[in-house]
Amino acid sequence: MLETLRKGAQTWVAKALMIILVASFGVWGVSSSLITGTSSAVVTVGDVDVSATDFRLAYERQLSALSQRFGTRLTNEQARAFGLENQVYAELVAGAALDQLSNDMSLGLSEDRLAQLIAEDPAFRGPNGRFDRVAFSSILRNAGLRENDYINNRSQVAVRSQIVEAISDGYQAPQALTDAIRQYRNEARTVDYLLLSNANIDPVKAPADDVLSAWFETNKAKYRAPEYRKFVYVALSPKDIADASAIDDAALREEFERTKDKYRTDEMRTVQQLTFPDRAAADAAAGKLAAGTTFDALIAEQGKTEADVTLGDFTKAAMPEQTLAEAAFAIPADGGTSPVVDGIFGPVILRATNIRPEATKAFDDVKEELREEMALTQASDDLMAIHDRFDEAVANGATIEDAAAQANLKLVTVEAADNTGRGQDGEEIALPEQAGLLAAVFATEAGLENPPVNYGRDGYIWYEVRDIVPDRDRTLEETRDSVVADWTAEQQRDALGKKAAEIAERIRKGETMAAIAADMGIAVENKAGLTRGAEDITLSPAAVTAAFGGPVGHVANAPGIGGEGQVVLQVTEVNSDAMGDALANADQQIEAIARASGDDILDQMVSSLQTSYGVSINRSLAERSMQ
């Protein structure tokens, strides 16, 4: 048990520990129904006792935080499954160990400093921004805490934080550690490698029946048939009941006239802009345009390209500056230019190209699309009436088939589906709201009436399970083709792995990779600048890891991408600081990792204190405190 606590304490880092210790005596969001007035200790570290009240307070805080993460209040059984009790024990043991140390060191806090800390707590400030005595009393009372208890706990937390800050604040990682991490992170390697495939080994012979049977028995679970369920369902959504044929052309014409603006496309132009330092320069350019100089020539005179002066494609309303919009859309012809315009940043001349005039789609072009939209709108209005008619039929004893018929809905039968939505042939079955429907189907029993599953935003799916086929072990005869294929693939992987290992050993003994490649009729590949953890399109993660397994000359083999094939590689160059100063952000990460070693000092100290002082746990009292 104590080993569990020590492991729990060792997972903390310094600042996180201090936050936990402070929060363990916080009063915000904790249940007010705490037990009080007990002198028995749940946790004892040295001479420091942790009462059942403090245990329950810490437990409730941790349970509340965990429940918020899951979006529901967890039961004690669920919390126990997550190891919540052990986390609370570890938290309280660590805090008590620090309290005992502070007692041994005679650490304390003056009343003035304690009053200042409480007064600085934002939770206790009034409308004027200052400490409010009434708010202080009210908040503690609502949390079920006495003022003296809170003040004592606040003092205790402040003393603990003195120890934590003395150990962790200002810590500087050793330069040797920082340099080692930097070298590890920045190192790059060059490797020569061979890519081996099944073509490089002898074909695997078909297995004998006894061999295949033995292999199948060992791997039988892989071929186990899942549970299948037969069920029926009725889907109701606007698209399921929409009847486009019921919308006549007169209604369509009326709706088109009412909403024709949405079928109108505003005029759009590509706008280009030449800017000038002053009005005189702009006027001079305008004169050149008038005399026959092209706009492209003016662009070239300014040392720019067409891309440099293109603002983009705009409608008039979308132009960022309406003064320019007026000028740009006043240009009468494609490729024309504007007079000098005073823009926000000085005088400009505009050119408009690729002019696309305003257009409105004709009624005949959109009427079928509009018919579908109107049918869906009408179906949405009718949906609840159909829903109620279906539910009423079921309530009056109708089967799901009869209710579907009365509501004029389609009943769909799924003969067999597993919980992933695949049939017995392995093919995926098309289902509406697949995840939700399957979850519901596999959470009920055959023949039961069930509430509908939500279908999209405003639809419903009624369902009923008709039969359940339990999961079972398949026989070899049922799966022979798959078993043979899998056995063969495994033998090929093993044989190829042995082949790669043999080649790697030959290279270690002095043969060159080039000579071996020539004998095999394959090419030696090369990869430079390979870094740890790199995602490479040719080399698998296992091969990248293997490349960093030794110095220059290191030889290794590893499975290829996706476990297919083999890679035999040899390290030809190691650059210990390939990235250099180019990765300033990485350097910051390296420094942060190195500084984390300071947190380990606190972890070790807390663990040492627990061993030195001794720890005892009264689990039965803790259990009673949570009831």
Side-chain angles (χ1 to χ4, degrees):
M1 179 175 66
L2 298 184
E3 183 62 25
T4 299
L5 298 177
R6 294 189 187 102
K7 288 181 179 179
Q10 289 168 358
T11 61
W12 300 349
V13 294
K15 291 303 180 184
L17 175 60
M18 188 170 77
I19 292 171
I20 289 174
L21 296 179
V22 173
S24 67
F25 291 98
V27 297
W28 329 127
V30 179
S31 172
S32 61
S33 58
L34 305 179
I35 59 175
T36 59
T38 179
S39 60
S40 301
V42 171
V43 171
T44 300
V45 180
D47 297 328
V48 175
D49 292 338
V50 178
S51 69
T53 300
D54 289 338
F55 174 83
R56 178 61 182 271
L57 183 60
Y59 180 85
E60 286 286 342
R61 180 187 57 78
Q62 292 268 32
L63 180 61
S64 176
L66 191 61
S67 295
Q68 287 179 5
R69 288 174 54 189
F70 285 92
T72 184
R73 174 74 177 183
L74 299 182
T75 65
N76 285 339
E77 289 73 20
Q78 291 170 324
R80 188 174 290 111
F82 284 105
L84 186 65
E85 285 183 45
N86 284 338
Q87 294 177 35
V88 175
Y89 287 136
E91 173 187 318
L92 296 177
V93 167
L98 292 181
D99 290 343
Q100 182 64 63
L101 178 62
S102 65
N103 292 340
D104 293 348
M105 298 174 66
S106 298
L107 297 179
L109 195 69
S110 70
E111 291 184 357
D112 289 343
R113 176 56 180 155
L114 178 58
Q116 181 183 356
L117 288 174
I118 296 174
E120 290 174 351
D121 193 325
F124 301 136
R125 291 177 184 171
N128 60 0
R130 297 180 180 179
F131 176 75
D132 188 321
R133 186 69 176 76
V134 175
F136 174 74
S137 300
S138 175
I139 290 172
L140 294 183
R141 185 170 57 253
N142 291 337
L145 294 178
R146 296 176 299 181
E147 292 184 12
N148 285 342
D149 290 339
Y150 172 78
I151 292 171
N152 290 336
N153 288 335
R154 189 66 184 85
S155 175
Q156 190 178 39
V157 168
V159 173
R160 290 179 186 179
S161 62
Q162 290 179 35
I163 300 173
V164 173
E165 290 173 355
I167 294 171
S168 60
D169 281 9
Y171 174 82
Q172 293 293 324
Q175 189 64 42
L177 175 62
T178 305
D179 290 345
I181 295 175
R182 180 176 289 106
Q183 180 176 335
Y184 181 87
R185 289 283 295 270
N186 290 358
E187 181 181 298
R189 296 191 166 206
T190 299
V191 297
D192 290 339
Y193 63 93
L194 303 175
L195 292 178
L196 307 184
S197 68
N198 290 335
N200 301 118
I201 58 174
D202 294 332
V204 175
K205 295 180 180 179
D209 284 347
D210 59 338
V211 172
L212 192 63
S213 295
W215 188 89
F216 173 72
E217 288 300 320
T218 302
N219 297 275
K220 182 181 291 186
K222 176 181 176 181
Y223 304 97
R224 187 173 177 81
E227 177 183 310
Y228 289 100
R229 295 197 168 200
K230 178 180 180 179
F231 62 96
V232 294
Y233 71 86
V234 177
L236 172 61
S237 72
K239 67 179 181 181
D240 294 311
I241 59 174
D243 182 7
S245 64
I247 310 298
D248 60 31
D249 285 357
L252 284 176
R253 173 66 72 176
E254 181 181 348
E255 181 67 11
F256 175 77
E257 294 298 330
R258 189 180 68 83
T259 62
K260 67 166 49 179
D261 281 351
K262 76 176 183 180
Y263 301 109
R264 181 175 60 82
T265 303
D266 290 337
E267 179 184 340
M268 181 169 284
R269 299 181 171 203
T270 301
V271 180
Q272 297 171 318
Q273 171 183 280
L274 267 180
T275 60
F276 300 92
D278 51 46
R279 184 69 186 218
D283 288 339
K288 290 181 180 179
L289 286 173
T293 301
T294 65
F295 192 80
D296 290 328
L298 293 181
I299 294 174
E301 283 182 14
Q302 291 192 3
K304 298 177 179 178
T305 66
E306 188 169 348
D308 295 330
V309 302
T310 300
L311 298 179
D313 291 348
F314 299 98
T315 62
K316 186 175 182 179
M319 284 281 289
E321 187 180 346
Q322 283 306 299
T323 301
L324 298 185
E326 293 293 340
F329 280 80
I331 298 171
D334 201 299
T337 58
S338 72
V340 176
V341 182
D342 290 322
I344 296 176
F345 301 106
V348 301
I349 296 177
L350 306 173
R351 177 167 69 172
T353 61
N354 193 22
I355 296 176
R356 285 143 288 174
E358 176 185 308
T360 299
K361 292 182 179 179
F363 172 72
D364 287 340
D365 294 332
V366 302
K367 72 175 184 178
E368 295 309 319
E369 173 189 344
L370 184 56
R371 195 189 303 275
E372 294 293 334
E373 291 179 3
M374 292 181 67
L376 283 173
T377 300
Q378 182 62 50
S380 296
D381 295 338
D382 296 340
L383 186 140
M384 285 312 299
I386 298 175
H387 167 277
D388 293 344
R389 190 157 64 245
F390 186 99
D391 268 1
E392 183 179 356
V394 171
N396 289 331
T399 64
I400 192 171
E401 287 92 344
D402 291 339
Q406 292 177 32
N408 198 28
L409 296 175
K410 179 182 178 183
L411 180 87
V412 179
T413 300
V414 177
E415 290 296 336
D418 65 16
N419 61 3
T420 68
R422 296 185 180 277
Q424 291 177 319
D425 59 359
E427 296 297 319
E428 186 169 353
I429 301 170
L431 295 170
E433 207 67 46
Q434 184 183 66
L437 178 56
L438 286 173
V441 164
F442 277 81
T444 188
E445 298 297 331
L448 293 183
E449 182 180 325
N450 305 286
V453 173
N454 289 332
Y455 185 13
R457 188 180 65 179
D458 50 8
Y460 303 89
I461 303 174
W462 292 271
Y463 63 95
E464 184 179 299
V465 175
R466 293 294 170 81
D467 190 23
I468 299 175
V469 180
D471 58 332
R472 64 178 180 85
D473 287 329
R474 290 190 175 103
T475 65
L476 175 58
E477 292 310 312
E478 287 181 277
T479 59
R480 176 174 289 274
D481 290 345
S482 295
V483 173
V484 170
D486 291 345
W487 179 90
T488 302
E490 182 180 282
Q491 302 308 306
Q492 289 173 327
R493 285 192 296 270
D494 290 347
L496 195 58
K498 292 176 182 177
K499 179 78 171 181
E502 291 171 1
I503 293 173
E505 188 60 27
R506 289 168 60 186
I507 296 173
R508 293 188 190 100
K509 290 180 177 179
E511 291 188 57
T512 66
M513 186 177 289
I516 294 174
D519 288 344
M520 297 178 65
I522 59 178
V524 176
E525 310 284 351
N526 178 268
K527 180 74 66 174
L530 193 64
T531 58
R532 281 184 173 86
E535 293 185 4
D536 192 85
I537 61 173
T538 306
L539 298 179
S540 64
V544 172
T545 299
F548 286 84
V552 171
H554 170 65
V555 179
N557 65 283
I561 293 175
E564 297 300 320
Q566 280 278 326
V567 180
V568 180
L569 59 86
Q570 184 171 30
V571 179
T572 60
E573 183 182 354
V574 175
N575 188 338
S576 297
D577 197 18
M579 301 182 194
D581 296 329
L583 293 179
N585 188 40
D587 278 351
Q588 293 174 5
Q589 296 175 3
I590 289 169
E591 293 289 345
I593 294 171
R595 284 196 303 272
S597 61
D599 300 342
D600 295 337
I601 296 174
L602 180 61
D603 295 340
Q604 293 170 26
M605 185 200 74
V606 170
S607 180
S608 176
L609 290 175
Q610 294 173 20
T611 302
S612 175
Y613 292 139
V615 177
S616 65
I617 306 291
N618 188 339
R619 286 186 175 268
S620 61
L621 179 59
E623 292 279 348
R624 289 197 301 273
S625 75
M626 294 186 293
Q627 294 175 358

